[in-house]
C-alpha cells in the first residue's frame, strides 16, 4: 500500500539506483583495464631482459598445455621464473576482452600476445648472438619457428577491483510527467463536537394552522373562579305578570258595640261562592308532583342561551307534548335545555351529573290558595305547608346576558333527563351562595356563611 501511494517516488529512486550501478560497473571495468595494461607493460619489460630463449619457450608450452586440460587457476611463482606468474595474470584478463578499449583490443588473443612476445625475444636473442653477448647459460642455438598454437581457454574471474572515485554530479533532468492520482485515503476519525452556534434571528410568523379536530366532550370541572365586579345597571325590564293572590289579612280588633239600629229590609239572595280557589307551582328537577297534589303536566326546563343578550329572562317549563298553531319558523329568540352546573349537591339516587338536562312538572293544590318560595331555608313558616325543599339556583355571574334570570328552587331529590350528558353550553343553572363581607356588600357573615350554598322550600297555605 505504501509503494502504491508513493509509486512516483519509488520509480525515481529505482531509476537512480540502476543508473548508479551502471556507472559503477563501467568505472570498475575501466580501472581493471588500466591496471592490466600496466601489468602487460611490466611483463614486456621483464621478458626483454630474458637471456635464455629456450627456457622461455618451454615454459610457454607447458602453461598452454595446462590451460587446455584443466580450469585456469593461479600458478604459484617459481624461484627463478617470476615471469610465469606475470604471464598467468595476463591470461586471466581475456574475460574482459570485449570490454577493453580500442588500443587494448588491437593486441588480439592471449596466443597472439605470447607469439608477439616470443618474436620480440627471438629478435633480442639473435641480436645477442650476433653481438656475442649471450651468457654461459645460453649455449644453445635457436631452433626453427614452431607451429601456431591453439587458442587458450578463458581465464578465471579476477578479484574485485577497488571502487572508483565518485563521478561528478550530473545535470538536472527535465520535469517528469504528472503522476497518476493516488488512492483514496482512509476515513479520518470523528472530529470533536463543535461549539454551540449563535442564536438565529426570529423567523417570520407562519401562516395560520388548520383548524384542529374537535376534542372530547367535557373535561374535569375546574375550581370556581372569584366573582367578577358588579355589572352596569341594566335597562328597565318590561312589566311583569300579575302577581299571585295575596295572603288573607289577619282579623281586625273587635270594635265597640254600637247602638241597635232599626231593622232593615230583607235583601235578595246572592249566588253561592267557592269554598277554596287552590294554587299552582313548578317543581324544578322532577317530572312528577308530591303526594296529595295533582300534576297539571310534566316537561323539561328551558331557557335562553347563557351568552345571548336577548330572549327570555325566566326559566320555562315546556311540556313533553307541545301543540303548534302555526308552521312559520325563525331563530330570533331560541330556547335551549337547562344544564346542571356546579357541585353535585343533590340527595337523589342516582344523582344528576354535570351537563345533564333538568326535568320539571307543574303541580296543582286545590286545598290551598297561597304559595311562595322560602329562600335561604328549607323550612316553611308556622301555619304553612312545605310542598318540597331544595336549593336556590340561577345563572352564573360570568354570563354575558344583560338581564339575569330569575331564581328557581330545584328539588333536593332532583332527577336528570336520560341521554342528555353531552356538554352543549346552552341554558345553564348554578347553585346560589352568599358572599360576605365585601366592600360592595353589607350581608353579615353571621348568621350567613361565606360561599355556603343556600337552601329553599316551596310553601303553600
Amino acid at each position: 500500500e505504501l509503494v502504491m501511494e508513493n509509486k512516483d517516488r519509488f520509480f525515481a529512486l529505482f531509476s537512480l539506483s540502476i543508473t548508479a550501478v551502471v556507472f559503477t560497473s563501467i568505472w570498475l571495468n575501466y580501472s581493471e583495464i588500466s591496471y592490466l595494461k600496466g601489468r602487460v607493460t611490466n611483463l614486456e619489460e621483464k621478458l626483454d631482459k630474458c637471456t635464455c630463449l629456450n627456457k622461455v619457450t618451454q615454459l610457454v608450452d607447458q602453461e598452454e598445455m595446462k590451460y587446455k586440460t584443466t580450469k585456469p587457476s593461479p600458478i604459484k611463482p617459481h624461484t627463478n621464473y617470476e615471469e610465469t606468474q606475470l604471464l598467468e595474470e595476463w591470461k586471466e584478463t581475456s574475460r574482459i576482452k570485449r570490454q577493453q578499449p580500442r588500443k587494448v583490443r588491437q593486441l588480439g588473443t592471449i596466443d597472439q600476445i605470447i607469439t608477439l612476445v616470443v618474436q620480440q625475444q627471438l629478435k633480442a636473442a639473435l641480436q645477442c648472438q650476433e653481438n656475442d653477448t649471450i651468457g654461459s647459460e645460453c649455449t644453445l642455438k635457436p631452433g626453427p619457428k614452431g607451429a601456431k598454437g591453439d587458442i587458450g581457454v578463458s581465464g578465471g574471474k579476477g578479484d574485485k577491483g577497488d571502487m572508483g572515485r565518485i563521478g561528478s554530479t550530473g545535470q538536472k533532468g527535465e520535469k517528469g510527467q504528472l503522476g497518476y492520482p493516488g488512492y483514496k485515503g482512509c476515513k479520518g476519525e470523528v472530529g470533536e463536537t463543535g461549539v454551540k452556534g449563535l442564536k438565529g434571528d426570529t423567523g417570520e410568523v407562519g401562516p395560520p394552522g388548520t383548524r384542529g379536530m374537535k376534542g372530547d366532550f367535557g373535561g374535569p370541572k375546574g375550581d370556581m373562579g372569584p366573582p367578577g365586579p358588579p355589572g352596569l345597571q341594566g335597562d328597565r325590564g318590561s312589566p311583569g305578570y300579575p302577581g299571585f293572590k295575596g295572603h288573607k289579612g289577619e282579623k281586625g280588633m273587635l270594635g265597640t258595640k254600637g247602638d241597635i239600629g232599626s231593622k232593615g229590609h230583607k235583601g235578595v239572595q246572592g249566588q253561592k261562592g267557592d269554598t277554596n280557589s287552590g294554587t299552582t307551582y313548578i317543581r324544578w328537577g322532577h317530572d312528577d308532583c308530591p303526594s296529595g297534589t295533582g300534576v297539571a303536566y310534566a316537561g323539561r326546563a328551558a331557557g335562553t342561551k347563557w351568552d345571548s343578550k336577548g330572549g327570555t329572562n325566566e326559566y320555562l317549563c315546556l311540556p313533553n307534548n307541545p301543540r303548534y298553531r302555526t308552521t312559520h319558523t325563525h331563530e330570533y329568540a331560541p330556547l335551549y335545555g337547562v344544564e346542571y352546573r356546579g357541585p353535585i349537591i343533590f340527595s337523589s339516587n342516582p344523582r344528576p351529573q354535570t351537563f345533564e338536562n333538568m326535568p320539571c312538572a307543574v303541580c296543582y293544590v286545590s286545598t290551598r290558595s297561597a304559595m311562595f318560595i322560602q329562600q335561604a331555608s328549607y323550612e316553611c313558616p308556622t301555619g304553612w305547608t312545605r310542598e318540597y325543599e331544595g336549593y336556590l339556583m340561577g345563572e352564573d355571574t360570568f354570563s354575558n346576558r344583560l338581564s339575569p334570570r330569575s331564581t328557581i328552587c330545584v328539588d333536593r331529590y332532583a332527577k336528570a333527563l336520560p341521554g342528555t350528558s353531552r356538554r352543549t353550553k346552552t341554558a345553564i343553572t348554578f347553585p346560589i351562595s352568599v358572599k360576605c363581607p365585601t366592600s360592595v356588600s353589607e350581608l353579615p357573615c353571621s348568621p350567613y356563611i361565606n360561599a355556603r350554598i343556600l337552601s329553599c322550600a316551596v310553601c303553600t297555605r
Side-chain angles (χ1 to χ4, degrees):
E1 184 178 356
L2 180 61
V3 172
M4 294 302 295
E5 292 181 357
N6 302 276
K7 62 180 182 179
D8 293 338
R9 185 181 298 176
F10 175 77
F11 286 138
L13 293 175
F14 179 78
S15 301
L16 184 60
S17 301
I18 295 298
T19 305
V21 170
V22 172
F23 276 105
T24 303
S25 176
I26 294 174
W27 174 260
L28 292 176
N29 291 334
Y30 181 78
S31 299
E32 187 174 3
I33 291 172
S34 300
Y35 172 76
L36 293 177
K37 286 176 64 179
R39 297 290 290 177
V40 170
T41 303
N42 188 21
L43 179 60
E44 289 177 350
E45 291 177 356
K46 291 185 177 182
L47 289 175
D48 288 343
K49 297 179 180 180
C50 180
T51 57
C52 184
L53 182 60
N54 292 333
K55 291 184 178 181
V56 172
T57 304
Q58 185 180 2
L59 180 60
V60 171
D61 294 336
Q62 293 177 357
E63 295 299 329
E64 288 181 355
M65 185 61 66
K66 290 181 180 180
Y67 275 92
K68 291 180 179 179
T69 56
T70 60
K71 184 178 180 180
S73 60
I75 301 176
K76 297 182 179 181
H78 297 280
T79 306
N80 298 324
Y81 299 102
E82 185 180 1
E83 295 81 357
T84 304
Q85 182 180 2
L86 299 176
L87 184 61
E88 180 65 24
E89 292 177 357
W90 176 258
K91 290 182 179 182
E92 291 180 359
T93 60
S94 60
R95 63 182 180 82
I96 57 172
K97 177 178 62 175
R98 297 177 182 271
Q99 301 178 2
Q100 294 174 354
R102 184 175 182 182
K103 292 182 180 181
V104 177
R105 289 202 302 269
Q106 291 176 355
L107 295 177
T109 62
I110 298 298
D111 295 334
Q112 293 174 351
I113 294 174
I114 295 174
T115 303
L116 181 60
V117 173
V118 172
Q119 289 177 357
Q120 292 178 354
Q121 295 300 326
L122 288 175
K123 290 181 182 180
L126 293 175
Q127 290 178 359
C128 292
Q129 186 176 4
E130 290 178 358
N131 298 329
D132 198 14
T133 58
I134 301 176
S136 58
E137 296 180 1
C138 297
T139 57
L140 299 176
K141 297 292 184 180
K145 182 178 181 180
K148 184 176 181 179
D150 297 331
I151 299 175
V153 297
S154 301
K157 183 177 180 181
D159 296 334
K160 184 177 180 181
D162 298 332
M163 182 179 292
R165 59 185 178 179
I166 299 174
S168 59
T169 303
Q171 296 181 357
K172 184 177 180 181
E174 296 180 358
K175 184 177 180 180
Q177 296 180 356
L178 185 64
Y180 296 101
Y183 291 96
K184 184 177 181 180
C186 300
K187 184 177 181 180
E189 297 180 356
V190 179
E192 298 180 356
T193 304
V195 297
K196 186 176 180 181
L198 299 177
K199 184 177 180 180
D201 298 332
T202 303
E204 297 180 357
V205 179
T210 58
R211 185 174 181 180
M213 299 177 62
K214 185 174 182 180
D216 296 335
F217 181 76
K221 179 184 176 184
D223 297 333
M224 181 178 292
L232 300 176
Q233 183 175 359
D235 298 334
R236 184 173 182 179
S238 57
Y241 297 102
F244 295 100
K245 183 177 181 181
H247 303 296
K248 185 176 181 180
E250 296 180 1
K251 187 175 182 180
M253 296 176 63
L254 184 63
T256 58
K257 187 176 181 179
D259 296 333
I260 298 174
S262 59
K263 187 176 179 179
H265 299 286
K266 186 176 180 179
V268 180
Q269 185 176 357
Q271 296 179 358
K272 186 177 181 179
D274 296 332
T275 56
N276 262 317
S277 62
T279 186
T280 61
Y281 62 87
I282 299 175
R283 188 182 186 186
W284 300 102
H286 243 282
D287 55 0
D288 58 2
C289 294
S291 176
T293 61
V295 179
Y297 67 88
R300 58 200 306 154
T304 304
K305 192 176 181 182
W306 67 277
D307 57 352
S308 299
K309 294 180 173 57
T312 178
N313 292 333
E314 302 288 337
Y315 288 107
L316 305 180
C317 184
L318 301 181
N320 291 327
N321 52 347
R323 299 177 67 85
Y324 298 97
R325 278 288 187 184
T326 179
T327 59
H328 291 83
T329 60
H330 73 81
E331 295 182 357
Y332 298 133
L335 293 175
Y336 299 86
V338 178
E339 295 180 352
Y340 290 107
R341 293 294 184 93
I344 303 302
I345 55 178
F346 303 105
S347 301
S348 53
N349 186 18
R351 296 182 296 178
Q353 301 298 315
T354 302
F355 308 132
E356 289 186 316
N357 282 197
M358 179 188 301
C360 62
V362 176
C363 303
Y364 170 72
V365 181
S366 61
T367 58
R368 294 177 286 276
S369 59
M371 186 277 301
F372 78 98
I373 298 176
Q374 175 65 55
Q375 301 173 355
S377 176
Y378 57 84
E379 294 180 347
C380 291
T382 303
W384 290 79
T385 302
R386 186 177 69 182
E387 300 295 330
Y388 71 91
E389 63 164 308
Y391 303 98
L392 286 177
M393 299 187 74
E395 205 164 46
D396 65 324
T397 56
F398 299 100
S399 173
N400 293 329
R401 295 177 53 77
L402 298 178
S403 299
R405 300 184 193 277
S406 59
T407 303
I408 58 176
C409 183
V410 180
D411 198 295
R412 175 184 174 187
Y413 298 93
K415 299 179 180 180
L417 292 173
T420 59
S421 61
R422 185 170 60 90
R423 181 181 184 182
T424 57
K425 290 186 177 181
T426 53
I428 56 179
T429 180
F430 285 84
I432 295 176
S433 61
V434 170
K435 185 70 174 179
C436 67
T438 64
S439 60
V440 295
S441 175
E442 296 182 357
L443 285 176
C445 284
S446 178
Y448 296 103
I449 301 174
N450 184 51
R452 180 72 63 86
I453 296 173
L454 297 175
S455 302
C456 64
V458 173
C459 305
T460 59
R461 183 176 176 177

